Amino acid sequence: MTISEIASYKGFTYGHMTIGECINVATEAGLSVGNVIIEEACESLKLSKEEVTNCMEEAFQHNFEAARIGATTGSSFLLGGVGNDLAKEDAHKIVEDTFVNKAITYTLAAQVGNHSIGLRPCAGTGDSCPYTGFVMAMKEEFEDFELHHRVMAVILKTGGMFRIGKRTTGCNMEGFGAGAAATAAAFVELYGGTPAEMERAISLAISPTISVPCTPRVMVPGLCATHIGGAILIGRLASQLSMYTSLPSTVPADVMIAMAAQCHIASAKNIVPITIDYMEPFFKHNEKVDWYIPQEVKEEEVQRQQELIARAIQESRQLAAKASPITQPFGDAVVGGSSLGVGSPTNCARIAHFLAKGEVKKVKIEIYDEMFARRAINVPGILMAAIDGYGTSDVEAYKNSMDVARAKGVDVEIIKIHEPGIQRISVYATEANSMVESVNSGGARLILKRVEPSIEKAREIADKLNIVIIDE
């Protein structure tokens, strides 16, 4: 079967396949993903392969020039001369891998050049930087032109998905997120990985970029460098993990991209305003523009910056006041992989166990939506704590808790509730029952809300068990 026939058979819209569908077809056809993307473009656009590759080459030319400027004479009002700093012969390398180091260098140089001659944007100008940096470095380090074009096709296909998904401000769908996903795919194509490995790499690369806001609005000096440079590093890490380890990754790339697009909208509404609040006083100003701004407005901005710094310092002091000393930095170990998903609910159940009296006959677990979805890891911890009082570090108790509950004939009820952050554990025992309602917190900590029979007794128990209670 041809590529178009495979796509048709699978119900894909040929000519507008997603990156995940291209991966699917590549797997079926026994081809590289880059080859599938190029052939799809040729057939759907009625162009020859040479015409398609020439168009891709042309698309990069302006941005290559921006990167060349940034790596030599260019200077940016936000990034200074970082491109030239990294491109010098005696420059200290970010990483020892020559290709990766060049990709990072040209990525940052492209952003410097962006502030000289502009960049042709994809999702934004942010992701054009890692695309440009990667391809420019590849052309210097690899001589196979056919390989160049396959890699470029993978980058541009992935980037095109993010271009449509980006609808507001947010680096999760631009420089960092799109750049990480596209370069992760590019690394796999470049080094001969399989379509399945590319899918895993894309999903792994997207994960740490979800909901990342702009830096914000690309007006704070320096910050953008770790976004766009980080895209190359995350892409490299994701591809290496996917290609050379047994790390599992089960989420399809298309699902990750769709989620990123929705989180992007939510981030703009909820996270970006916070970053603007803290970062706006540090926005770069143009004296020639500010010449037109009334003096009282500029004075108000200076005052706002001073007030923000004072407020932030006070907030940081509050954090420092409650922080553990470096001699006792950690809580007890948490079996199960997550202090939030396992540690906090387990500790809630452990308090409930020691508040109850007698033989435990039933455990009622009421957990909010997210924890209910993660019940595979938190219920074993809750049961070992509620039935026998075991702590979060007891490996054997965690592994055996489900079997122990059945062997002891303990009735277990698991209920999903729609109260954000709430975990409510009730223990029914032969002499006295208990109930602990708390708010789930990271670091295996919790905030007590309601307790039966006594919240004071619960605090005493927590103190004896080295369970950290947070005051709201």
Side-chain angles (χ1 to χ4, degrees):
M1 295 175 69
T2 65
I3 289 175
S4 60
E5 288 172 340
I6 294 172
S8 177
Y9 175 76
K10 290 178 174 290
F12 302 156
T13 304
Y14 196 62
H16 296 282
M17 290 195 294
T18 69
I19 185 63
E21 289 169 346
C22 290
I23 289 169
N24 189 306
V25 171
T27 301
E28 189 78 16
L31 297 170
S32 81
V33 179
N35 275 327
V36 169
I37 295 170
I38 291 173
E39 188 165 331
E40 180 194 29
C42 290
E43 292 187 15
S44 62
L45 298 173
K46 308 301 182 187
L47 297 173
S48 68
K49 184 175 180 181
E50 182 179 9
E51 288 173 320
V52 168
T53 56
N54 284 342
C55 286
M56 290 193 296
E57 290 280 2
E58 176 60 29
F60 275 99
Q61 293 310 306
H62 178 87
N63 293 352
F64 286 160
E65 180 59 23
R68 281 190 282 269
I69 291 171
T72 53
T73 60
S75 181
S76 161
F77 73 109
L78 291 177
L79 296 182
V82 65
N84 180 252
D85 294 339
L86 294 174
K88 292 176 181 177
E89 288 189 10
D90 60 347
H92 187 82
K93 294 181 178 180
I94 302 295
V95 294
E96 289 303 313
D97 184 299
T98 301
F99 167 62
V100 176
N101 193 71
K102 280 188 176 181
I104 296 169
T105 298
Y106 292 147
T107 292
L108 296 179
Q111 184 67 306
V112 173
N114 181 32
H115 297 143
S116 298
I117 64 169
L119 285 179
R120 297 187 67 185
C122 190
T125 53
D127 55 317
S128 294
C129 297
Y131 303 166
T132 302
F134 190 102
V135 174
M136 198 166 175
M138 175 184 68
K139 284 177 171 290
E140 291 187 7
E141 294 295 312
F142 297 82
E143 297 180 353
D144 186 339
F145 292 110
E146 191 272 339
L147 177 61
H148 294 175
H149 295 144
R150 286 194 285 112
V151 170
M152 290 164 72
V154 166
I155 288 175
L156 296 175
K157 183 71 173 184
T158 307
M161 300 272 295
F162 281 87
R163 180 182 175 92
I164 300 304
K166 182 178 172 62
R167 284 175 273 178
T168 181
T169 186
C171 210
N172 69 313
M173 292 298 283
E174 190 183 339
F176 189 29
T183 57
F187 275 117
V188 174
E189 185 76 20
L190 183 64
Y191 289 108
T194 66
E197 288 168 345
M198 184 180 293
E199 178 128 46
R200 286 198 298 273
I202 292 172
S203 294
L204 290 170
I206 291 173
S207 183
T209 71
I210 295 298
S211 296
V212 173
C214 188
T215 50
R217 304 268 182 186
V218 198
M219 286 296 291
V220 180
L223 298 186
C224 192
T226 46
H227 280 230
I228 58 174
I232 298 290
L233 293 172
I234 289 292
R236 178 64 162 171
L237 173 61
S239 68
Q240 294 288 100
L241 290 174
S242 178
M243 294 174 68
Y244 305 120
T245 77
S246 60
L247 181 74
S249 178
T250 58
V251 184
D254 287 344
V255 173
M256 291 296 288
I257 294 173
M259 177 177 67
Q262 293 305 310
C263 289
H264 170 67
I265 298 169
S267 172
K269 293 178 180 178
N270 299 292
I271 298 177
V272 170
I274 296 173
T275 63
I276 293 295
D277 179 35
Y278 281 81
M279 292 290 103
E280 185 270 340
F282 301 98
F283 278 14
K284 185 75 173 179
H285 289 273
N286 184 321
E287 291 182 2
K288 293 180 180 179
V289 172
D290 281 358
W291 188 85
Y292 296 97
I293 304 300
Q295 184 61 30
E296 61 268 22
V297 173
K298 290 185 281 190
E299 290 175 356
E300 287 174 3
E301 289 180 340
V302 172
Q303 178 66 24
R304 188 161 65 250
Q305 182 186 59
Q306 294 173 345
E307 291 174 354
L308 179 279
I309 293 173
R311 188 183 91 204
I313 290 174
Q314 185 58 35
E315 291 171 354
S316 294
R317 285 172 178 167
Q318 291 172 1
L319 296 174
K322 296 179 180 179
S324 301
I326 61 172
T327 53
Q328 295 177 307
F330 306 126
D332 292 340
V334 177
V335 180
S338 171
S339 66
L340 183 75
V342 180
S344 184
T346 297
N347 281 334
C348 179
R350 198 176 185 207
I351 294 172
H353 169 84
F354 287 105
L355 282 171
K357 293 182 180 180
E359 184 181 357
V360 176
K361 293 296 185 181
K362 178 180 178 179
V363 177
K364 183 179 180 181
I365 302 169
E366 299 172 85
I367 44 180
Y368 67 102
D369 307 67
E370 181 190 345
M371 288 301 109
F372 186 83
R374 299 166 73 176
R375 61 188 179 275
I377 61 172
N378 59 48
V379 168
I382 291 171
L383 289 181
M384 74 174 182
I387 296 172
D388 293 306
Y390 290 122
T392 59
S393 63
D394 198 312
V395 177
E396 290 305 311
Y398 181 84
K399 290 180 178 179
N400 299 325
S401 64
M402 303 307 299
D403 294 332
V404 168
R406 293 189 184 93
K408 290 187 175 183
V410 176
D411 184 18
V412 177
E413 185 178 7
I414 306 171
I415 301 171
K416 177 170 66 173
I417 59 176
H418 306 292
E419 302 173 53
I422 292 295
Q423 50 200 15
R424 189 180 302 118
I425 311 299
S426 300
V427 175
Y428 300 89
T430 53
E431 297 179 35
N433 302 329
S434 67
M435 185 281 293
V436 177
E437 178 182 290
S438 64
V439 176
N440 190 310
S441 299
R445 303 167 299 176
L446 47 109
I447 301 169
L448 293 177
K449 300 293 287 185
R450 293 191 301 125
V451 177
E452 295 175 3
S454 166
I455 195 167
E456 288 76 18
K457 182 67 174 175
R459 287 182 175 276
E460 292 176 8
I461 291 171
D463 187 58
K464 291 179 181 178
L465 298 176
N466 196 35
I467 295 173
V468 178
I469 303 297
I470 302 173
D471 294 322
E472 290 186 276

